[in-house]
Amino acid sequence: VVSTQSTGLKQATLQSLKGVIDVKRVLVLKEKLACKHSSEQQIIQCLKEIEGGRSLPIQILTETGIGRVIGPLRKHSNQTIATSSKSLVDQWKVMIQDLPVAPVVSTGQN
């Protein structure tokens, strides 16, 4: 058995999780962003939390549909909300472009 005190392994693992947002938290943020009763300040706080976390994995983006809520915020009248939303969407677009493309497999049937 290796002691985590001597190797620092436990601390490294906790450090690597710093800033990670899980699916449940993204769903909570999505709900707050989609709520018509959310104040501009609440929307800004949600966007800052998403921006402050590490890049959301593609799987979380697709599972939660958070982009469908943030996308329309790019045209918000509040400049801070619009700018933050644009930044997130642009970041996600770059991330998606950097993904390797899976080869198309043909079955030979039309």
Side-chain angles (χ1 to χ4, degrees):
V1 175
V2 177
S3 169
T4 57
Q5 288 179 336
S6 64
T7 63
L9 189 58
K10 187 172 185 179
Q11 288 79 14
T13 303
L14 291 176
Q15 285 295 326
S16 68
L17 292 175
K18 187 176 182 181
V20 173
I21 302 175
D22 67 0
V23 174
K24 289 180 183 179
R25 185 64 189 153
V26 172
L27 290 172
V28 168
L29 294 170
K30 176 185 172 187
E31 195 173 307
K32 288 181 181 180
L33 290 168
C35 180
K36 298 200 184 294
H37 301 294
S38 292
S39 69
E40 288 183 349
Q41 190 59 36
Q42 289 170 318
I43 293 171
I44 291 168
Q45 287 175 341
C46 290
L47 291 171
K48 283 184 179 181
E49 184 173 340
I50 294 168
E51 287 176 325
R54 293 188 179 158
S55 296
L56 293 177
I58 298 294
Q59 182 179 358
I60 290 179
L61 289 173
T62 55
E63 282 181 25
T64 62
I66 188 78
R68 291 188 189 112
V69 175
I70 292 180
L73 293 176
R74 294 177 294 169
K75 297 180 182 178
H76 199 281
S77 60
N78 180 301
Q79 195 60 37
T80 302
I81 293 173
T83 302
S84 293
S85 300
K86 286 176 190 173
S87 174
L88 280 169
V89 170
D90 289 345
Q91 176 185 342
W92 295 336
K93 284 180 181 180
V94 168
M95 187 172 61
I96 289 170
Q97 288 174 350
D98 291 344
L99 289 177
V101 178
V104 177
V105 178
S106 175
T107 60
Q109 299 175 353
N110 290 335

